[in-house]
Amino acid sequence: MTRSWWGWGNVEDAVTGAEAEELVARVAAFMPDHDFTPHDPPSPEDLGLPQPRVSAPGSLAHLASSSIEDRASHAHGRAYRDVVRNLAGEVTHAPDLVLRPETEADVVAVLDWATSAQVAVVPFGGGTSVVGGVEPRFEGPAVSLDLRALDRVLEIDRTSRAARIQAGVLGPQLEDQLRPHGLTLRHFPQSFEFSTLGGWLATRAGGHYATLLTHIDDLTESMRVVTPVGVSESRRLPGSGAGPSPDRMFLGSEGTLGVITEAWMRLQDRPRWQSGVTVDFDTFDAAVAATRAVAQSGLHPSNCRLLDPMEALVNAGTSTTGGLLVLAFESADHPVDAWLDRAVEIVRDHGGRPGPRSDRSTGEAAAPADAGSAWRSSFLRMPYQRDAVTRRSLIAETFETACTWDRFAELHAAITSAAYDVMARIGGEGVVTCRFTHVYPDGPAPYYGIYAPGRWGSLVSMWDEIKAGVSEAIAAHGGTITHHHAVGRDHAPWYAVQRPEPFALGLTAAKRALDPAGVLNPGVLGL
């Protein structure tokens, strides 16, 4: 497979042919007057990248690449605005070099050199950032530190059910190495195929579980981090009350305080019993109330994702007046029928209509395909579909937040109102979709999609206007600027509003202490 330099995933997996025609026809039903003429990406050689401003010292030369394709593919993440700029050939901030360390000692050597030479270092995992987290958006020389050669499971503690894992391992590589031991990390973000353990840790990624172990934080036992002033390694413990947690300082630090090289991660036995159902509702309010009741029931489903009517229609091809709740339970220890039975009772009490059950553990015939399975099957294709419609001048992007249940209705109304107001102002009548990706006893994590007609040459500015409008609504109504997409550079203005000022002072002091030369990912987190 060949990784795309400009868009999501593999070149061979792009949306083309009949799939592209069907996608365009589906979107055209909403936007019949739009011009769907596709725009092809340029080749990296046509980008006109400047010559590198810095050379690696002899001791690091074997790790360094200055090839145009390497530099172009490490210049941006994979957000909508990144894809648009790549398609337009606007690669303004490319790294001067890409460095691929093979050992932790190489990472130490790179930071020593960069600190002394005043060269910025941008840690790079799978490059799937959607918040400007890997773009060297600043003046001065920069190198991209690609950690994907650090890709092994180094040690497994079967007794404690944990493993010591290098940070550069991609999701599929990690699971392949755990599978022979009957173990799994069970962390499957949408970017799973192309993102790394270190990236998940650095961005506090959200994964497979809709309840309980929702963030990578919950699966982290200890971490090893290289900083310009030394290596930090926390002690392996199931829990500790010994002062502020060292791991908590580096989780979500996005490469600004140090480079994560490995971590001990808590594992799960691979599930044997899996049962689920999709529930239809007449009203969205009833669907939300049912989801809250399940989240507060103590049942802890592994999947509890609510799709609003527009999300169900656009991404599952199913009509519903109120929404669809995708529920599933799994266990490596026991059958889960009783848990699903009780969840079904709860949603029925709120007017929900469960569809056929699916049970992948008993050997029974699979349940008939339903809207929930249709949505799940399209989940991994969504980024490829986004690239396909982006080439055709559409605005197609997502953002997410989290709030307490008592604030959801007001926040949801403010976000959708802001999105539609901005779309009307910039001249596009689009649609807004919503789904819950994770739920907690005290609140949901709603995830929004924006689909609107755009104008080629103005797509970035149009999206930036929408993004600013919805971000202001989130900040004003008590949501978080990000539940699991990270802060990066794009969210920094609203993160500055969200974080308490004394904490900001402490974080800035930590940055000065750990990175006195200020070379680690400048600008991320507003640092």
Side-chain angles (χ1 to χ4, degrees):
M1 291 291 189
T2 307
R3 286 291 297 272
S4 171
W5 81 263
W6 65 270
W8 186 263
N10 297 316
V11 172
E12 294 83 356
D13 292 328
V15 173
T16 59
E19 184 183 8
E21 293 174 5
E22 190 278 331
L23 177 62
V24 168
R26 183 149 43 99
V27 176
F30 295 96
M31 307 169 193
D33 298 326
H34 183 71
D35 179 5
F36 288 93
T37 302
H39 297 266
D40 295 328
S43 67
E45 290 74 17
D46 294 332
L47 296 174
L49 296 186
Q51 290 297 310
R53 294 162 290 184
V54 64
S55 299
S59 59
L60 299 176
H62 65 293
L63 307 175
S65 168
S66 60
S67 80
I68 292 175
E69 184 157 351
D70 262 346
R71 294 171 64 202
S73 63
H74 287 72
H76 293 148
R78 289 300 179 264
Y80 173 77
R81 67 192 318 275
D82 298 327
V83 171
V84 170
R85 289 182 295 161
N86 286 344
L87 282 169
E90 298 172 359
V91 181
T92 305
H93 298 103
D96 296 275
L97 300 173
V98 176
L99 295 172
R100 294 183 169 89
E102 299 170 351
T103 65
E104 184 182 273
D106 291 338
V107 176
V108 173
V110 169
L111 293 192
D112 286 346
W113 164 67
T115 297
S116 63
Q118 280 291 293
V119 174
V121 177
V122 179
F124 191 100
T128 57
S129 170
V130 293
V131 292
V134 296
E135 179 183 350
R137 200 185 300 165
F138 45 78
E139 299 303 319
V143 298
S144 180
L145 188 66
D146 188 323
L147 297 165
R148 280 176 290 184
L150 303 178
D151 62 357
R152 292 184 298 130
V153 174
L154 299 173
E155 188 176 351
I156 290 180
D157 173 0
R158 194 63 177 83
T159 303
S160 307
R161 211 168 60 180
R164 181 164 67 100
I165 307 167
Q166 291 183 308
V169 66
L170 292 165
Q173 294 175 322
L174 171 57
E175 290 296 324
D176 286 346
Q177 293 177 70
L178 295 177
R179 190 173 291 106
H181 303 275
L183 295 169
T184 174
L185 184 62
R186 213 79 186 133
H187 183 81
F188 301 130
Q190 189 176 32
S191 62
F192 170 77
E193 185 178 0
F194 303 108
S195 54
T196 65
L197 172 63
W200 302 340
L201 295 167
T203 60
R204 299 184 68 192
H208 166 73
Y209 294 104
T211 64
L212 287 182
L213 307 176
T214 60
H215 273 94
I216 197 68
D217 314 30
D218 305 313
L219 301 171
T220 304
E221 190 176 68
S222 72
M223 293 170 62
R224 187 171 171 90
V225 185
V226 175
T227 80
V229 298
V231 176
S232 173
E233 182 174 15
S234 58
R235 183 171 295 186
R236 284 187 64 205
L237 294 167
S240 174
S245 165
D247 293 336
R248 287 286 177 180
M249 182 169 71
F250 292 109
L251 284 164
S253 61
E254 302 188 37
T256 61
L257 303 180
V259 179
I260 300 166
T261 56
E262 61 183 62
W264 275 94
M265 303 301 297
R266 300 183 177 101
L267 305 177
Q268 316 295 315
D269 292 318
R270 301 188 74 81
R272 296 172 55 197
W273 289 273
Q274 297 172 311
S275 296
V277 69
T278 301
V279 187
D280 187 20
F281 292 88
D282 288 331
T283 70
F284 188 56
D285 287 345
V288 171
T291 305
R292 175 171 61 85
V294 172
Q296 294 177 343
S297 67
L299 292 171
H300 306 306
S302 58
N303 196 355
C304 186
R305 288 177 167 83
L306 175 63
L307 319 182
D308 80 351
M310 190 57 71
E311 174 72 19
L313 182 62
V314 172
N315 288 314
T318 299
S319 295
T320 172
T321 58
L324 298 174
L325 178 60
V326 183
L327 273 174
F329 292 82
E330 63 182 34
S331 174
D333 177 74
H334 54 263
V336 293
D337 294 336
W339 283 259
L340 184 58
D341 288 344
R342 177 58 191 141
V344 167
E345 289 178 354
I346 291 172
V347 298
R348 278 188 169 139
D349 288 343
H350 290 81
R353 294 182 298 276
R357 293 196 185 196
S358 63
D359 191 332
R360 290 180 286 171
S361 56
T362 65
E364 298 174 358
D370 63 5
S373 60
W375 184 86
R376 285 189 294 268
S377 67
S378 69
F379 181 65
L380 296 179
R381 292 299 288 164
M382 289 178 188
Y384 289 106
Q385 293 170 349
R386 179 212 55 185
D387 286 1
V389 297
T390 300
R391 290 183 57 213
R392 293 161 172 85
S393 305
L394 266 73
I395 297 170
E397 183 59 304
T398 62
F399 60 94
E400 38 77 43
T401 184
C403 64
T404 51
W405 288 110
D406 63 311
R407 292 187 173 187
F408 171 69
E410 182 181 353
L411 175 65
H412 179 64
I415 287 173
T416 53
S417 176
Y420 281 116
D421 286 350
V422 176
M423 284 191 286
R425 187 168 66 245
I426 63 177
E429 294 185 4
V431 297
V432 180
T433 71
C434 178
R435 68 180 187 263
F436 292 171
T437 59
H438 304 79
V439 293
Y440 304 87
D442 52 344
Y447 189 110
Y448 293 88
I450 300 282
Y451 305 91
R455 296 182 298 277
W456 190 256
S458 301
L459 295 178
V460 170
S461 61
M462 294 173 77
W463 166 248
D464 285 350
E465 215 172 319
I466 296 171
K467 177 68 171 178
V470 297
S471 297
E472 291 295 336
I474 289 171
H477 291 83
T480 175
I481 191 58
T482 177
H483 172 261
H484 59 267
H485 277 174
V487 174
R489 294 171 178 83
D490 296 346
H491 284 156
W494 297 280
Y495 176 61
V497 174
Q498 179 175 327
R499 65 187 181 189
E501 185 56 28
F503 174 77
L505 294 173
L507 184 61
T508 302
K511 171 71 170 175
R512 286 196 300 265
L514 296 174
D515 180 23
V519 297
L520 281 173
N521 217 1
V524 164
L525 297 177
L527 297 176

